[in-house]
Amino acid sequence: MSRVLIIESSARQQDSVSRQLTQTFISQWKAAHPADQITVRDLATHPVPHLDANLLGGWMKPAEQRNETEQSSLERSNQLTDELLAADVLVMAAPMYNFAIPSTLKAWLDHVLRAGVTFKYTDTGPQGLLSGKRAYVLTARGGIYAGSPSDHQEPYLRQVMAFIGIHNVTFIHAEGMNLGGDFHEKGLNQANAKLAQVA
């Protein structure tokens, strides 16, 4: 049995293409892996606070020096990090907002990229500690950006995943969602075709 952690980040609940891709992923994954455990964390309905002094204090101060807010911030980060550590498969669903990922997803990443937990510093540089995991990134984009200088999603997330030791990363882009003509249907069909190969 594998554990699958799904991170939703679309601000929209209705008519969200990235959420539609997630539901397709879940359906196909359950059919192929009925014994697997799937956990969904929705950053729109349960947002994670952005990195602040309280979280830094929770990470860096000895237990006896933390105030209640710092301790609470640390416990929240621990919960999120434990979910990631326990997962065999990570799925991030991310619409493109202003050429990049939603700030809610960035806040989640800021909670789980932790020195000594998900990566460590060595004499030869940082080393990721989450090797052996797989990641899938499901994106929805109004235009067509894959491989262009305007795509700040895929390069950033590939770098972040590699930084914590996840090198097996598959991107599935639904592009052209806001373009006219048949771009929406074509982009969605291409994404669904690639999703069908995943499970």
Side-chain angles (χ1 to χ4, degrees), residues 15-141:
D15 303 320
S16 166
V17 174
S18 65
R19 290 182 185 276
Q20 181 179 335
L21 295 178
T22 300
Q23 290 307 307
T24 300
F25 176 93
I26 291 173
S27 176
Q28 293 176 350
W29 193 272
K30 283 183 175 180
H33 311 276
D36 283 5
Q37 176 184 324
I38 297 178
T39 299
V40 178
R41 177 167 287 278
D42 192 330
L43 299 176
T45 57
H46 296 88
V48 176
H50 289 288
L51 181 64
D52 60 13
N54 292 317
L55 181 54
L56 291 175
W59 283 344
M60 297 177 181
K61 291 181 180 179
E64 65 275 8
Q65 294 181 16
R66 296 180 203 130
N67 61 38
E68 290 185 8
T69 305
E70 290 167 342
Q71 181 62 34
S72 177
S73 297
L74 174 62
E75 290 171 0
R76 180 179 57 243
S77 178
N78 287 342
Q79 179 186 6
L80 298 172
T81 306
D82 287 345
E83 284 183 345
L84 177 58
L85 292 172
D88 303 293
V89 178
L90 171 65
V91 180
M92 289 181 285
M96 177 180 275
Y97 291 162
N98 301 316
F99 309 106
I101 62 174
S103 63
T104 50
L105 181 55
K106 175 61 165 60
W108 178 81
L109 289 166
D110 285 340
H111 277 71
V112 301
L113 270 68
R114 293 177 55 180
V117 183
T118 55
F119 72 93
K120 66 179 180 180
Y121 291 109
T122 72
D123 293 339
T124 57
Q127 177 184 333
L129 300 176
L130 303 188
S131 59
K133 298 182 186 295
R134 286 178 290 166
Y136 298 95
V137 183
L138 317 178
T139 78
R141 297 155 166 208

